[in-house]
């Protein structure tokens, strides 16, 4: 076996491909790694990094189309395209606005990445590592799984309602879909959304009591 044969080859990466396709450059890849491996409050989760990456794709698409934006507009447009609590009417308005500006919204949404793609890019493509407590890792994993399932349920339900409405099977105006899972602690009486509960580290029970 030659030295060339034994040289590790980088795995393919959707994130790496999009960095080139959207002309974001290696510097943004460096930024993602730096944020993921930072200490304390400076560190961003894989989910946050996926949102950051997708917002940059949206910004790049608008720039390539020759459209300028004001502060906060990219973040708001991304929220309208992806957030659970956005009505179908508002989402449609955002898509129409982007299409009018020359953005291929269908392609853009196909290019949006998940936290798994960010993790694969950082750990397998860039060989980055972050050591954190196993308990925190388990919480992050559960949180990301719940968020993924909520997004999937929202997409399926919203699409089904739109199809039923368009074929006159049901009567429904502009609607807003809520996908919530609440947790009630019967000991302390506190009730939180499951995501809030995980992010705050638990309920109001006094562990020392």
């Amino acid at each position: 076996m030659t030295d060339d044969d034994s040289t590790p080859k980088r795995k393919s990466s959707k994130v790496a491909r999009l960095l080139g396709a959207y002309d974001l450059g290696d510097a943004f890849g460096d930024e993602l790694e730096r944020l993921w491996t930072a200490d304390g409050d400076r560190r961003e989760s894989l989910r946050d990094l996926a949102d950051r990456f997708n917002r940059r794709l949206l910004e790049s698409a608008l720039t390539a189309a020759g459209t300028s934006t004001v502060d906060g507009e990219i973040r708001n447009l991304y929220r309208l395209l992806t957030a659970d609590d956005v009505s179908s009417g508002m989402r449609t308005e955002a898509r129409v606005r982007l299409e009018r500006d020359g953005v291929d919204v269908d392609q853009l949404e196909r290019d949006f990445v998940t936290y798994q793609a960010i993790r694969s890019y950082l750990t397998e493509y860039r060989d980055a590592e972050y050591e954190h407590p196993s308990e925190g890792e388990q919480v992050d994993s559960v949180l990301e799984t719940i968020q993924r399932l909520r997004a999937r349920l929202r997409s399926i339900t919203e699409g089904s309602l739109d199809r039923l409405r368009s074929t006159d099977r049901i009567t429904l105006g502009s609607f807003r879909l809520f996908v919530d899972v609440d947790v009630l602690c019967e000991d302390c009486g506190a009730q939180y959304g499951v995501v809030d509960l995980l992010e705050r580290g638990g309920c109001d029970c006094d562990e020392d009591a």
Side-chain angles (χ1 to χ4, degrees), residues 118-135:
I118 294 292
R119 179 170 57 193
S120 176
Y121 169 71
L122 292 172
T123 61
E124 298 178 14
Y125 189 85
R126 295 182 66 99
D127 294 322
E129 295 182 0
Y130 177 74
E131 298 295 334
H132 51 93
S134 58
E135 181 180 351

Side-chain angles (χ1 to χ4, degrees), residues 94-105:
R95 289 177 60 87
V96 169
R97 175 259 163 99
L98 289 170
E99 290 169 352
R100 186 171 59 243
D101 288 339
V103 174
D104 185 341
V105 181

Side-chain angles (χ1 to χ4, degrees), residues 78-207:
Y78 178 67
R79 183 186 68 82
L80 292 174
L81 290 176
T82 62
D84 289 342
D85 60 350
V86 172
S87 70
S88 62
M90 294 174 64
R91 199 183 314 279
T92 298
E93 288 179 7
R95 289 177 60 87
V96 169
R97 175 259 163 99
L98 289 170
E99 290 169 352
R100 186 171 59 243
D101 288 339
V103 174
D104 185 341
V105 181
D106 289 335
Q107 182 61 56
L108 176 65
E109 291 184 329
R110 285 194 295 269
D111 287 340
F112 281 165
V113 302
T114 62
Y115 79 91
Q116 295 102 321
I118 294 292
R119 179 170 57 193
S120 176
Y121 169 71
L122 292 172
T123 61
E124 298 178 14
Y125 189 85
R126 295 182 66 99
D127 294 322
E129 295 182 0
Y130 177 74
E131 298 295 334
H132 51 93
S134 58
E135 181 180 351
E137 181 180 3
Q138 291 171 1
V139 171
D140 285 346
S141 178
V142 171
L143 184 58
E144 289 165 352
T145 298
I146 290 172
Q147 294 282 44
R148 184 174 70 253
L149 292 173
R150 286 177 59 190
R152 178 63 175 159
L153 177 59
R154 184 198 58 139
S155 176
I156 292 174
T157 305
E158 191 173 80
S160 298
L161 291 174
D162 281 334
R163 286 191 296 273
L164 290 171
R165 180 175 58 181
S166 65
T167 55
D168 295 327
R169 302 291 181 87
I170 63 171
T171 300
L172 181 65
S174 179
F175 65 90
R176 180 176 301 180
L177 190 66
F178 296 94
V179 181
D180 296 319
V181 178
D182 290 340
V183 180
L184 171 65
C185 176
E186 295 182 346
D187 291 338
C188 67
Q191 181 171 335
Y192 296 97
V194 65
V195 173
D196 291 339
L197 180 73
L198 291 172
E199 289 181 339
R200 75 188 302 272
C203 64
D204 297 338
C205 284
D206 185 357
E207 295 181 356

